[in-house]
Amino acid sequence: MTKQKSGLIVNVSSPGGKTYIFTPAYGIGKAAVDRMAADCGIELKSHKVTFISLWPGPVKTELVQLSIDKRKAAAAAGAPPPKPASLETVGLGANATIHHAFGLGESTEFSGKCIVALYNDPKLLEKTGKIITTAAIGKEYGLKDLDGSVVEEIGATSKGSGSA
């Protein structure tokens, strides 16, 4: 990329780099990824290579969807929810909130749509070294998720409706 004087490097991170989510190891890893993007963004800018840290919102991966489905089935059967992966998260009272947020999450493909939009932006280099959310990219470039919804920033009410 440095020889061709162009390129885009994307680290995938999350707000876990700035605040507690899941476990200390998760947060430390995400903080390192964010710092790498900031520092490498400075070093690579003179070569016209953009380096960013991308923060998707909650993402409905296959594993997350399976967990959501198990919780729904347990609730429908009157059974207790399945045991959570992180007892620390439960101790903070966040488990139900996390499952709800992930249930409203973005598709795994939305991050790819965001990266393509960034790559095609003639002002891409202005974003180097920054943390950028998929919701912000979606808003800037008018992107919608696969189901036609608008992806909102974490903490917003829910995914909005809209047509593709």
Side-chain angles (χ1 to χ4, degrees):
M1 287 187 222
T2 57
K3 287 182 182 178
Q4 69 185 23
K5 295 286 188 191
S6 72
L8 171 61
I9 301 170
V10 179
N11 277 349
V12 178
S13 187
S14 85
K18 291 197 179 212
T19 189
Y20 182 86
I21 300 177
F22 305 127
T23 66
Y26 180 86
I28 291 164
K30 295 304 182 182
V33 164
D34 293 343
R35 185 57 191 237
M36 177 190 244
D39 292 356
C40 290
I42 291 168
E43 297 238 340
L44 293 170
K45 190 172 186 176
S46 65
H47 298 282
K48 298 186 193 265
V49 175
T50 302
F51 201 131
I52 66 156
S53 187
L54 182 68
W55 283 11
V59 179
K60 287 193 286 188
T61 65
E62 292 83 0
L63 186 60
V64 165
Q65 191 60 52
L66 181 63
S67 175
I68 291 167
D69 292 345
K70 284 182 180 180
R71 289 178 69 82
K72 286 180 182 176
K83 184 179 175 186
S86 170
L87 295 178
E88 294 88 359
T89 304
V90 172
L92 293 171
N95 202 48
T97 304
I98 287 171
H99 275 86
H100 178 72
F102 277 86
L104 298 172
E106 60 196 63
S107 70
T108 55
E109 293 85 355
F110 190 69
S111 290
K113 290 176 79 170
C114 291
I115 293 167
V116 169
L118 283 171
Y119 183 78
N120 290 314
D121 186 341
K123 296 181 181 179
L124 173 63
L125 194 58
E126 293 174 9
K127 293 176 175 20
T128 197
K130 295 183 179 175
I131 294 170
I132 309 171
T133 65
T134 53
I137 294 168
K139 184 176 181 180
E140 181 176 352
Y141 299 103
L143 304 176
K144 294 187 178 174
D145 208 344
L146 296 181
D147 63 2
S149 64
V150 174
V151 173
E152 296 181 9
E153 289 291 347
I154 297 169
T157 55
S158 65
K159 287 172 62 173
S161 60
S163 58

